[in-house]
Amino acid sequence: MQTLTYEETVTAIENKRRFGNLKGVEISKIMLEQLGHPEKDLRIIHIAGTNGKGSVSAFLRSVFECAGLKTGMFTSPHLVDFRERIQVQGDMISKEDTMRLGNRLLSMDFGVYPTMFDYCLAMALLYFKEQQCDVVILETGLGGTYDSTNACGVPDVTVIAKIGFDHMAILGDTLAKIAAEKAGIIKHGTALVLESQEKEAMDVLKQAAERADIKTTKVVNWDEIKILPQKDGKQCFSYAGYDAVTMKMLGVHQYENAVAAMLAAELFFEKYFAGKKNVPELKALQHAIREGIDRTQWMGRMELVSNDPFFLMDGAHNSNGVEALKKSLETMYPDEKFHFIMGVMADKDYGEMIRELLPLALDFKTVTVESERALQGEALADCIRAKGIPAEAYQKLADVLPDFSKSSAEKTVAFGSLYFIGEIEAFLRGKQ
């Protein structure tokens, strides 16, 4: 096979089918077997959930780096650069390593039809093993039971973030069915962290934990999170023995994501340092947790791009995400109304997403996301106008974004598909 350039390698991987001829977990098991099981001996934290798993991953990465552990992180999708998916110590995999590992994988005949996600996961695991990572954070792509990441054995810690309605055609049309798919990553031998859930989902998760005979389960208790006044523009909270923890991450939903990461980090440290001679003092590990939460940044999630003119963007791509966005805007900017910019996929519950934000909306500008799955901007604008709010479809991002050279008291919020947020990120990088 001819050696592909970096650009050709990424294009070849991105053009692979979205769904394979087998379940993702089955394809990845076959691939990892033929690759010599690069996942073996990796210390893994496995994270699933409808919303919040990316934020939990980012919090954990920062905490572990502050604790001095070499940390690999696998997330999806990427917003601007393909290499965002595979990071070590917060640095993206190099173009050279992407090309080298990509060519190796693309040249192999696995006897199955891997998807883009399967290739990305295999590349990540090979890279993390080469880099001798102390800990690897794996974020599921879709669901849990049949997700490609579920081929990676029993993780040290498993985290289930918020579960809501998304990908219902694949995962099921009730919270119980969706939770059952997410619960598929709960395996005997792992320690478990659960974010608070609707009772229907929590019952399923707890039953799965009982079947797997999980010895250690920690559930985030919202009632124990004490939200404090902001400090220097950072959100601040106390939880259990951690007083006045600060974080750059914005949004009311981030308190629970941060606590889930804190609990997961504590459980991982217990396992990682068990039996080791040089064990950091508890105070040092708690300091790493506090410092890691404080330092965390995550592109496109409640990201305040500009204060004047005010422009915030958030990858709220389903009704649960938009509900969290609404609560955050109401809490942070009480009695304010916003100009919204929206771009979504056609398979999302966009009617419910719009309904959530109507009380806060001055108007909407809609854009067609660059994806074959995208809802056309004009159809989205029609849907919004039918609900009695002004809306207009635009072809170019330049026509919907604020003029950053001019001061303005009005507030603009862009939200929707992560691909859409990625398009805005790429545009702003090119402009600024």
Side-chain angles (χ1 to χ4, degrees):
M1 177 181 170
Q2 180 182 355
T3 300
L4 303 177
T5 65
Y6 166 75
E7 290 77 13
E8 290 169 339
T9 301
V10 170
T11 298
I13 292 175
E14 288 185 329
N15 285 340
K16 294 298 179 183
R17 61 177 71 190
R18 187 164 178 242
F19 296 104
N21 60 329
L22 298 172
K23 301 292 187 183
V25 65
E26 296 171 348
I27 291 175
S28 282
K29 281 181 180 178
I30 292 168
M31 293 178 74
L32 296 177
E33 171 73 27
Q34 294 186 38
L35 290 168
H37 288 290
E39 81 285 3
K40 190 178 180 182
D41 299 326
L42 290 176
R43 308 294 297 261
I44 292 173
I45 294 189
H46 201 185
I47 304 174
T50 307
N51 294 292
K53 59 182 185 288
S55 296
V56 174
S57 297
F59 279 125
L60 281 169
R61 186 199 77 193
S62 183
V63 166
F64 292 140
E65 288 170 4
C66 287
L69 300 185
K70 192 169 188 180
T71 307
M73 183 174 74
F74 175 71
T75 59
S76 62
H78 64 273
L79 296 189
V80 180
D81 192 318
F82 173 88
R83 298 176 299 135
E84 294 167 26
R85 295 168 177 262
I86 302 170
Q87 300 183 30
V88 172
Q89 297 301 88
D91 295 324
M92 296 186 294
I93 183 174
S94 70
K95 290 184 177 181
E96 292 75 18
D97 286 322
T98 302
M99 184 175 71
R100 174 178 58 83
L101 293 172
N103 272 278
R104 175 184 171 186
L105 292 168
L106 290 166
S107 68
M108 295 179 67
D109 180 4
F110 293 103
V112 289
Y113 296 100
T115 64
M116 172 192 178
F117 190 82
D118 298 321
Y119 278 110
C120 290
L121 175 62
M123 182 186 294
L125 294 171
L126 288 169
Y127 186 63
F128 296 151
K129 184 173 183 178
E130 289 178 353
Q131 293 291 309
Q132 298 180 315
C133 291
D134 296 310
V135 55
V136 168
I137 300 162
L138 287 184
E139 179 190 316
T140 58
L142 178 62
T145 303
Y146 301 113
D147 189 74
S148 302
T149 58
N150 213 22
C152 296
V154 179
D156 285 86
V157 182
T158 299
V159 182
I160 309 290
K162 273 286 187 290
I163 293 175
F165 291 103
D166 203 0
H167 301 292
M168 290 181 286
I170 300 168
L171 302 180
D173 57 1
T174 67
L175 275 183
K177 290 177 181 177
I178 295 171
E181 285 298 312
K182 309 288 186 186
I185 71 169
I186 300 174
K187 305 185 185 82
H188 179 69
T190 193
L192 179 63
V193 175
L194 302 176
E195 290 199 0
S196 64
Q197 309 286 349
E198 296 290 339
K199 184 179 184 303
E200 185 181 357
M202 185 62 83
D203 287 346
V204 172
L205 296 177
K206 287 185 174 180
Q207 289 166 10
E210 288 179 10
R211 288 195 301 272
D213 191 25
I214 302 299
K215 302 300 183 185
T216 304
T217 300
K218 293 193 175 184
V219 180
V220 179
N221 186 343
W222 245 113
D223 293 336
E224 293 181 13
I225 301 175
K226 183 180 180 182
I227 299 175
L228 304 173
Q230 289 194 8
K231 286 186 178 181
D232 301 321
K234 298 178 182 179
Q235 294 191 155
C236 186
F237 68 98
S238 295
Y239 187 85
Y242 295 88
D243 293 325
V245 179
T246 54
M247 61 179 178
K248 295 186 180 76
M249 299 279 277
L250 299 176
V252 293
H253 52 293
Q254 295 298 3
Y255 294 111
E256 185 164 9
N257 291 332
V259 170
M262 293 162 71
L263 296 176
E266 288 181 337
L267 290 174
F268 181 81
F269 288 145
E270 288 177 17
K271 289 193 172 187
Y272 182 80
F273 290 111
K276 284 185 167 60
K277 291 183 179 179
N278 299 317
V279 180
E281 291 185 2
L282 178 60
K283 283 186 178 180
L285 295 177
Q286 290 177 334
H287 176 75
I289 289 174
R290 295 178 62 95
E291 189 72 13
I293 298 299
D294 177 80
R295 292 184 184 182
T296 304
Q297 292 179 291
W298 195 225
M299 184 169 59
R301 278 71 168 186
M302 286 294 291
E303 181 180 353
L304 184 57
V305 177
S306 171
N307 261 312
D308 186 14
F310 181 98
F311 180 59
L312 181 146
M313 55 185 178
D314 185 49
H317 57 277
N318 53 41
S319 57
N320 294 97
V322 170
E323 181 183 4
L325 171 62
K326 178 187 177 185
K327 287 180 180 177
S328 297
L329 292 175
E330 288 176 330
T331 301
M332 296 163 63
Y333 311 104
D335 302 321
E336 294 265 14
K337 290 208 170 189
F338 305 85
H339 300 285
F340 287 108
I341 305 171
M342 184 177 184
V344 294
M345 298 300 169
D347 58 354
K348 298 299 179 179
D349 50 349
Y350 53 86
E352 182 63 20
M353 294 165 69
I354 296 164
R355 190 191 67 77
E356 280 283 352
L357 292 177
L358 288 180
L360 302 184
L362 292 168
D363 54 31
F364 282 80
K365 294 179 180 178
T366 64
V367 177
T368 304
V369 184
E370 292 181 10
S371 169
E372 60 185 19
R373 296 166 46 221
L375 179 67
Q376 293 300 303
E378 191 56 59
L380 181 57
D382 287 342
C383 180
I384 296 167
R385 285 192 290 264
K387 297 181 186 297
I389 294 291
E392 188 172 350
Y394 291 81
Q395 299 298 316
K396 298 178 180 178
L397 280 178
D399 295 333
V400 300
L401 297 177
D403 183 345
F404 293 102
S405 67
K406 295 180 180 178
S407 178
S408 174
E410 297 190 329
K411 290 180 168 60
T412 301
V413 176
F415 73 100
S417 164
L418 284 170
Y419 295 103
F420 176 50
I421 300 302
E423 288 176 23
I424 299 175
E425 291 274 10
F427 179 83
L428 293 177
R429 290 185 186 188
K431 294 285 289 184
Q432 297 176 342

